[in-house]
Amino acid sequence: LADEIARRVMPGGKVFFCNSGAEANETAVKAARKYFDGEKYEVISFLNSFHGRTLAMLGATGQAGYRDGFGPLPEGFLHAEYNFLAAVEDKIGSKTCAVIVEVIQGEGGVIPAERDFIRGLRKFCDENHILLIIDEIQTGMGRTGSFCGYEHYGITPDIVTMGKALGGGLPLAACIMNPKTASALKPGDHGSTFGGNPVCCAAALASVRMITPELLHEVESKGRHLMESLKGLSEEFERIRDIRGRGLMVGMELDMAGSELVKYLLEKGYIANCTRESVIRFLPPFIIEKEDIDGMVSAAAEYFREII
């Protein structure tokens, strides 16, 4: 499984297995700090980001609501404005060891990173001897139409984290590091009791092998159909502010709370969720048929007609 993941994500890289995306991000931060032998320890993340619910990852997460009531949090995390490279430059200091970023902020409202922003981050990190960590926990495993979302930007990260879909429904996550970064971790520096257990790895290996070029083409095609259908809906109903995303990870921003629409869709047999109060997040299974997408869009149209 490690060989298969490394081949697809970071040829020559090393893979550490754990149980959840938050643990994978914890691994990434520990590896980055150990790479600089503790001399550099600050990590820049982004406002509106989400990286997990452990204490350290609450510090990395750029949404105050998740941190409320859990302080004091571990130090060393700074938050910059997303899609704004100058904001990152303002945060950098002599103690900065890494930047961690989602190529689409999922929990933050399905906000894609701009191409120039991600490419600029890679150049910025190279110039300042900083590691670039890409959080692919939602965007990995083909969700955006490529195995990892960062592939759309033509860059190579130093560390990639994966989780959620990786285990095919079982608890498994991974932190993938390039050889130079991985060499900083020695036996005993980090561990996970059930990370890499054989049952979850067998499920993950089967899942990874199902992410074929043909399936990724299907994700792109169905994603375009979903986006175009929702954009058509937005032209009919002014309460829809924006449609955005990539592949089968799509957000529909409203000018009102979205929880009632989520309930309505569920009653009609369609599962979506609401994030940031007003963004409907669509993450359909890759095997969804276009007829089901059309049915969901029609159900949403019925809802808007009822409330208007």
Side-chain angles (χ1 to χ4, degrees), residues 141-191:
M141 289 292 284
R143 175 56 59 182
T144 67
S146 61
F147 189 77
C148 283
Y150 77 80
E151 296 174 55
H152 297 288
Y153 298 86
I155 60 104
T156 301
D158 299 298
I159 303 175
V160 174
T161 56
M162 297 181 67
K164 294 193 184 300
L166 177 61
L170 296 180
L172 189 73
C175 179
I176 306 99
M177 296 164 269
N178 63 26
K180 190 173 181 180
T181 306
S183 66
L185 289 176
K186 306 302 185 215
D189 281 347
H190 192 51

Side-chain angles (χ1 to χ4, degrees), residues 60-278:
T61 291
Q63 299 184 50
Y66 286 104
R67 301 194 296 268
D68 289 347
F70 295 108
L73 300 177
E75 64 179 70
F77 294 97
L78 306 174
H79 304 105
E81 185 178 344
Y82 191 63
N83 272 331
F84 187 43
L85 197 59
V88 181
E89 296 171 353
D90 288 341
K91 295 290 183 179
I92 188 174
S94 60
K95 299 297 183 182
T96 307
C97 70
V99 173
I100 183 169
V101 63
E102 303 158 279
V103 292
I104 300 177
Q105 289 187 332
E107 194 68 20
V110 193
I111 303 173
E114 296 172 1
R115 181 176 176 84
D116 288 347
F117 175 66
I118 295 297
R119 292 179 67 84
L121 278 181
R122 176 69 277 177
K123 184 173 183 290
F124 176 78
C125 289
D126 289 340
E127 291 173 347
N128 291 277
H129 193 39
I130 296 169
L131 300 180
L132 179 60
I133 304 167
I134 304 289
D135 179 338
E136 293 274 359
I137 291 158
Q138 274 199 41
T139 50
M141 289 292 284
R143 175 56 59 182
T144 67
S146 61
F147 189 77
C148 283
Y150 77 80
E151 296 174 55
H152 297 288
Y153 298 86
I155 60 104
T156 301
D158 299 298
I159 303 175
V160 174
T161 56
M162 297 181 67
K164 294 193 184 300
L166 177 61
L170 296 180
L172 189 73
C175 179
I176 306 99
M177 296 164 269
N178 63 26
K180 190 173 181 180
T181 306
S183 66
L185 289 176
K186 306 302 185 215
D189 281 347
H190 192 51
S192 177
T193 300
F194 295 106
N197 73 80
V199 174
C200 292
C201 283
L205 184 57
S207 298
V208 168
R209 287 175 173 168
M210 291 184 71
I211 311 298
T212 62
E214 293 76 18
L215 181 62
L216 293 175
H217 176 74
E218 284 288 304
V219 170
E220 285 191 325
S221 175
K222 293 172 181 177
R224 282 194 301 270
H225 183 69
L226 175 58
M227 288 275 287
E228 290 168 1
S229 299
L230 290 174
K231 285 179 179 178
L233 200 65
S234 70
E235 294 172 1
E236 183 177 355
F237 301 104
E238 293 182 354
R239 308 221 68 163
I240 302 174
R241 287 179 174 172
D242 191 26
I243 305 296
R244 54 183 180 256
R246 187 186 289 272
L248 286 174
M249 184 174 183
V250 178
M252 178 172 71
E253 184 172 358
L254 310 178
D255 68 354
M256 61 184 189
S259 57
E260 291 302 315
L261 174 54
V262 169
K263 291 179 183 178
Y264 186 90
L265 290 175
L266 185 59
E267 290 171 359
K268 299 292 184 179
Y270 303 101
I271 299 174
N273 82 327
C274 183
T275 183
R276 304 295 288 178
E277 296 186 357
S278 62

